[in-house]
Amino acid sequence: MQILPSEPLAVLEDLDDLYVNLDGACKPIWLNSSAQTFEKSSLGESNANEYFKGLGHQLKELRESPGEATKRICKYKVKDQERYIEWQIQSIKGSNATEELLLIGHDVSDFQYELLETKSKLKHLSTIIESEPSCVKTIGRDGELIDMNPAGLELIEAKDLESVKGGSVYNLMEGESLEKFKEFNRQVFEGKSGSLDFEITSLSGKKRHMRSYASPLKDENGNVILHVAVTNEVTEEIQKTQQLRESMEKAQAAAIAKGQFLANMSHEIRTPMNAVLGLSDLLLETPLDEDQRVFAEGVHTSANSLLKLIDDILDFSKIQAGKLEVYPRPSSLRIEIASLRQIFKNQAESKGLELCLEVSPKVPNSVVVDPDRFKQIVINLLGNAIKFTDKGRVGANIDYSDPESTDPEHLIVEVFDTGIGISEENKDRIFESFTQGNAGFNRDYGGTGLGLSISNQLIELMGGELKMKSEFGKGTTFRFTIPVVNPQDSMEPLIEQPPKENNPKEGRKPLSILLAEDNPLNQTYALRILEKAGHRVAVAENGAEAISAFCAESFDLVLMDIQMPVVDGEQATQEIREIDKSQKVPIVAVTANAMKEAKKRYLEIGMNSVLSKPFTKEELLELIDSLAGEPVQAGLS
């Protein structure tokens, strides 16, 4: 079809858009080149006139008022591709001043494809949101609910969206949760993202704990238009957290109660044991016949065994609580081994055993190690060796790793015996608490089965390792290594001292001492030692009497028991320090509480030193000698 253009439309001939001129009856008058090409490729010659005529009528009917353009998007098949043309109608005046129509077609296929893709994505997203198990919602500036997925509706127990849409989500909250959520919503509309835990009451009245993650939705100008949030119920999590918190609080309370029980048990046992050990010591210094001496030594030995048991239980409890500590410092192992020889000599001789204690020449005069814990380990192992050996030899060998080796320097300790040995079935559990080498041995040999477990854990705490070789019926060897530092090049070598004499220090200056002690037997024990050493002693039976005595007389030193009636030792010390602000008079805490935390507290309230019960005569007199004269720095005894 050839249509000749009128002159005003000639300028449109070569434009890319489609231009179609229709007369008043909507019959085609003229098509530009682009329209003619489109006509041939998509409409065909036979359909073109009727198509444009029909399109003109449709657009004319849609036009709301004269002079206004009307638009419509139509889809076409062009060379097996779908193309989208947006048609616009405009009234024009023809050459004879008759009303004509101008149809302008613009190819919007690319835009339409993007629009369809966007719609597809939105539909996909909508499907995901609808099936999302979390609550997804949009909220307005004033808390009004704009939209909510089915999971959210189920959470608040609404029957459908229409029943709650437009209502305020604030109605689901109260109290602190309401105020927190209002502030949260305000911050979202300020452009901030974040999360919030809060509580709601569902439409049926059920309390639920919620956790919401929210972000602002902005328009093309960057203005926040919606609060978009994903919310989950965390009621079960909150309940479990609360239960865990309560369990932790109960565990902490139990730990405190356990610590208090251990402190009380230590006090209640150590206090009378101080008298038993002390008075039996004093008794052994008096003239005794053979039977009396046997009985007195039996009392003293049994009391020491009981003290060892108490120390094991306390150490085991500290290990369980993770509070057992080591304090490495330069020490002479030769001195420690010499003291062990004194401890075990009589025990070994009484069973007819040969006691062998050897320190290799390679061991330096001084090594950095915790001497108390080291000796405790060897005492436990050697004590077990003597206990479970009826004939032959027991002993300990201490060696030192090759200084030329690339490995860190180690102490190497072997404790051996020719005793009963350990059966194969019991080797795997020998280091367990409350376990002994073979079933039934606790009836024959006694003991708690704690010593080896404590030793093993102490060695691990010191960075070492404990190993065992044993043959049932032939004996056992325990071998452990501990990494150490050799400070020999930077300090004077320690000189081994001979065992201390039991005689009081000659020329000791007599002191005036206030003894605050409520236990009559412990009074007697301490009084005898002090008076025999030449000191003058005033006795107070409680803290109140101690305070009164301190105000009434002058004293060179105060021995203060901690647990006393009326006023305890801690309170009495604090009041005395208020009186004696210069702290010229040393105060010694005499306590059966072996816990380190307690000793630290005594020093903090103004005491100068701590003497643990049970104490020996030598320990008491040496401490007094160290404190006599100038005030000393506080330190643990």
Side-chain angles (χ1 to χ4, degrees), residues 249-321:
E249 289 173 355
K250 288 179 181 178
Q252 290 171 351
I256 292 172
K258 180 180 179 180
Q260 188 61 49
F261 169 76
L262 290 172
N264 290 339
M265 182 183 73
S266 174
H267 176 270
E268 294 303 323
I269 295 178
R270 285 173 178 270
T271 295
M273 197 157 33
N274 186 59
V276 173
L277 285 166
L279 293 177
S280 61
D281 262 343
L282 295 178
L283 180 60
L284 287 168
E285 291 179 2
T286 63
L288 300 173
D289 63 31
E290 186 176 346
D291 286 344
Q292 290 171 334
R293 184 163 296 278
V294 169
F295 297 154
E297 288 175 348
V299 170
H300 196 270
T301 300
S302 297
N304 271 317
S305 297
L306 184 57
L307 178 61
K308 173 67 169 58
L309 171 62
I310 296 301
D311 287 339
D312 279 352
I313 292 174
L314 289 175
D315 279 347
F316 179 70
S317 300
K318 288 180 183 178
I319 288 171
Q320 283 188 316

Side-chain angles (χ1 to χ4, degrees), residues 15-224:
L15 296 181
D16 291 334
D17 283 344
L18 313 179
Y19 287 88
V20 179
N21 184 205
L22 304 178
D23 63 16
C26 294
K27 293 176 62 178
I29 299 173
W30 169 84
L31 286 76
N32 73 343
S33 297
S34 296
Q36 291 180 47
T37 302
F38 177 76
E39 166 200 20
K40 293 175 182 178
S41 60
S42 61
L43 302 176
E45 290 279 351
S46 60
N47 298 327
N49 280 312
E50 290 303 316
Y51 172 77
F52 287 125
K53 182 178 179 180
L55 180 61
H57 280 298
Q58 292 172 19
L59 294 175
K60 191 173 182 181
E61 290 172 2
L62 289 172
R63 193 170 58 190
E64 296 177 1
S65 60
E68 291 187 4
T70 300
K71 294 181 180 180
R72 168 168 292 185
I73 296 177
C74 299
K75 182 171 69 172
Y76 303 94
K77 195 81 168 181
V78 179
K79 296 180 181 179
D80 297 327
Q81 289 186 345
E82 290 184 343
R83 305 298 295 173
Y84 293 87
I85 303 296
E86 181 184 64
W87 292 102
Q88 178 177 323
I89 184 173
Q90 183 69 48
S91 297
I92 61 173
K93 292 293 183 179
S95 57
N96 298 323
T98 58
E99 183 180 2
E100 296 178 1
L101 300 176
L102 177 64
L103 304 184
I104 304 171
H106 180 68
D107 192 336
V108 293
S109 300
D110 291 343
F111 171 77
Q112 199 67 18
Y113 289 146
E114 290 179 4
L115 182 62
L116 289 173
E117 184 179 2
T118 301
K119 286 182 178 179
S120 176
K121 289 180 178 178
L122 288 174
K123 184 177 180 181
H124 181 63
L125 180 60
S126 177
T127 302
I128 292 174
I129 292 174
E130 289 294 305
S131 59
E132 169 63 40
S134 299
C135 166
V136 181
K137 61 182 183 290
T138 52
I139 301 171
R141 186 177 298 275
D142 296 320
E144 65 274 21
L145 180 65
I146 307 301
D147 198 4
M148 181 179 280
N149 69 341
L153 296 173
E154 182 179 349
L155 203 58
I156 65 173
E157 299 182 77
K159 62 180 181 179
D160 52 41
L161 178 60
E162 293 304 316
S163 64
V164 291
K165 187 175 183 179
S168 176
V169 295
Y170 296 155
N171 294 333
L172 298 172
M173 307 165 217
E174 58 185 17
E176 182 182 359
S177 287
L178 175 59
E179 296 306 316
K180 285 166 59 178
F181 195 87
K182 283 183 176 180
E183 175 61 21
F184 183 55
N185 191 45
R186 185 186 66 78
Q187 290 182 5
V188 171
F189 274 91
E190 287 180 354
K192 300 175 184 176
S193 299
S195 63
L196 179 72
D197 284 11
F198 57 98
E199 186 180 71
I200 67 166
T201 303
S202 72
L203 298 179
S204 71
K206 185 176 181 180
K207 299 285 186 182
R208 297 179 188 270
H209 292 279
M210 314 299 293
R211 180 169 296 147
S212 186
Y213 300 89
S215 295
L217 180 65
K218 301 178 181 180
D219 61 16
E220 63 274 11
N221 297 318
N223 299 314
V224 179

Side-chain angles (χ1 to χ4, degrees), residues 4-19:
L4 296 176
S6 58
E7 189 173 337
L9 300 179
V11 294
L12 307 176
E13 176 65 26
D14 296 325
L15 296 181
D16 291 334
D17 283 344
L18 313 179
Y19 287 88

